Amino acid sequence: GAIMSWEIHKLVYQAKSPIHIGYHKLGFIQRTRYYITGKAIWGAMTANITRAFYGEPGATAKNYEDVGEKLRNDIIPSYFYPAIEQPEKPLIPLTPRFTSEGLKYGNYSADEFERLFISSFGQTAIEAANLTAEDETLHETGYLAPVIEEGGEQKSVYFAGYIVMKAPTVDLNGEKRGWEEIKEAIKEIFVGGERRYGFGRLILDSSQSANDFFGYKIDTSTTSFTIPGENPIPGHLPVSVNLNLKGDIEPLVGREWEPGKNGKVGFGQKVSEAEICWVPGSALTKEETLKLVGYGRLSKCKLNS
């Protein structure tokens, strides 16, 4: 019979500060994505897990690399999508989806979503000599707000996603660590950019074992899941896999951990090839089985004959 080899955990984090996930510049506005990529979650988890199991500040660049590798292969985070608390209702992640009326986030149109969730923060670099703003340094950073106001009510913003882990333990620093220990290490994580301003702070609100992946049935022996036709993908999918989708594509650059100066770890020093991907929310034209791979990205499932 099939061996259960992966466990699926659904996690909900509460945003405790603005969240900025770098996207691209529009004029002088540094835009944010409207969700947290698996890559950003991967970076945050790698930092925490390395510190938890390899000691702080004793962890070496090699330790970070090893943990980063584990989080590409054995403890894979999905993308995390914003959600707001509903009285008496479960928290529904506002995953993007392309519809005949355009892009939607849950039931919000893109405009409504932006109006509710996105704000910006102005920054300037001051020229010390005469305390004037240097030319062209004035810029705005877009962010996902930690609290929104809707219908005259303040609502906390959460981010929901999954961690898919090789069951029941993963080897870290020579010891087998189970989910409870890993969960303990990621109770508070910092994601994305502008962390020097206190951005990016997430606190784990709940974790439960799941047998679905964003509502799609997932096979725990392969991390593959089936998406019915007309339904959206919950992460980036390379166009090279040759599937038909309706949506948008964008180049994604893979950035890796690299040992920086004085043995400190730098994020994104090494730039890998850009890969053209379908963006989350792009809809498959017919039913397909996809597989969750490193950084929460998706791939076509090669079915074993």
Side-chain angles (χ1 to χ4, degrees):
I3 299 164
M4 295 274 291
S5 61
W6 290 84
E7 46 188 49
I8 322 294
H9 300 280
K10 182 177 187 178
L11 273 62
V12 175
Y13 281 94
Q14 185 178 353
K16 290 291 188 181
S17 70
I19 306 290
H20 172 80
I21 303 297
Y23 194 23
H24 52 70
K25 256 189 143 71
L26 197 63
F28 65 95
I29 296 179
Q30 183 60 57
R31 294 187 55 206
T32 179
R33 289 185 183 275
Y34 297 170
Y35 50 84
I36 303 173
T37 60
K39 194 64 173 275
I41 297 283
W42 170 85
M45 284 180 67
T46 296
N48 277 37
I49 289 172
T50 307
R51 289 199 290 262
F53 300 131
Y54 293 79
E56 158 107 67
T60 65
K62 172 85 173 82
N63 298 152
Y64 281 94
E65 228 167 271
D66 293 346
V67 174
E69 193 61 21
K70 285 271 190 291
L71 281 153
R72 268 196 297 269
N73 300 312
D74 299 345
I75 322 169
I76 306 174
S78 74
Y79 284 39
F80 275 62
Y81 294 96
I84 39 180
E85 217 168 3
Q86 312 250 40
E88 312 300 309
K89 280 197 202 132
L91 209 80
I92 312 274
L94 301 174
T95 49
R97 55 195 172 97
F98 282 85
T99 71
S100 50
E101 295 125 51
L103 184 59
K104 291 195 157 181
Y105 293 85
N107 290 324
Y108 298 112
S109 70
D111 285 351
E112 290 168 329
F113 180 87
E114 275 173 21
R115 217 172 32 244
L116 281 174
F117 287 86
I118 306 297
S119 299
S120 72
F121 164 63
Q123 296 144 293
T124 61
I126 300 293
E127 210 173 325
N130 51 8
L131 294 183
T132 56
E134 288 181 36
D135 273 1
E136 297 199 9
T137 59
L138 177 70
H139 70 281
E140 297 264 326
T141 296
Y143 63 81
L144 287 144
V147 176
I148 65 162
E149 194 168 308
E150 188 178 31
E153 247 185 290
Q154 299 258 316
K155 299 177 181 179
S156 293
V157 175
Y158 295 82
F159 285 87
Y162 296 81
I163 304 289
V164 178
M165 172 173 156
K166 274 228 165 101
T169 57
V170 170
D171 186 15
L172 289 161
N173 202 8
E175 284 186 49
K176 298 205 177 313
R177 311 285 182 170
W179 171 244
E180 286 306 317
E181 281 179 280
I182 285 166
K183 183 173 84 174
E184 188 59 31
I186 58 171
K187 280 199 314 203
E188 177 185 37
I189 58 176
F190 288 86
V191 296
E194 304 296 348
R195 292 202 289 268
R196 65 187 181 282
Y197 292 106
F199 280 26
R201 183 167 174 243
L202 297 175
I203 300 279
L204 189 60
D205 182 71
S206 68
S207 147
Q208 60 196 91
S209 65
N211 50 10
D212 72 290
F213 186 70
F214 293 108
Y216 301 125
K217 191 170 159 32
I218 187 163
D219 177 344
T220 51
S221 60
T222 59
T223 74
S224 63
F225 57 100
T226 298
I227 301 186
E230 303 302 317
N231 279 271
I233 55 172
H236 282 96
L237 172 73
V239 300
S240 58
V241 298
N242 237 350
L243 293 174
N244 287 323
L245 287 94
K246 290 185 291 221
D248 257 335
I249 58 175
E250 66 172 351
L252 263 199
V253 178
R255 295 200 296 191
E256 308 297 327
W257 287 93
E258 274 267 298
K261 300 185 189 70
N262 327 324
K264 283 206 172 56
V265 176
F267 194 48
Q269 319 286 357
K270 189 166 63 181
V271 175
S272 63
E273 298 287 274
E275 189 167 23
I276 306 291
C277 293
W278 289 101
V279 303
S282 300
L284 288 156
T285 51
K286 63 176 178 48
E287 181 176 295
E288 296 287 355
T289 299
L290 300 181
K291 186 176 161 67
L292 176 70
V293 292
Y295 306 132
R297 294 180 189 167
L298 309 175
S299 166
K300 192 173 157 81
C301 185
K302 296 178 183 54
L303 294 169
N304 308 328
S305 49

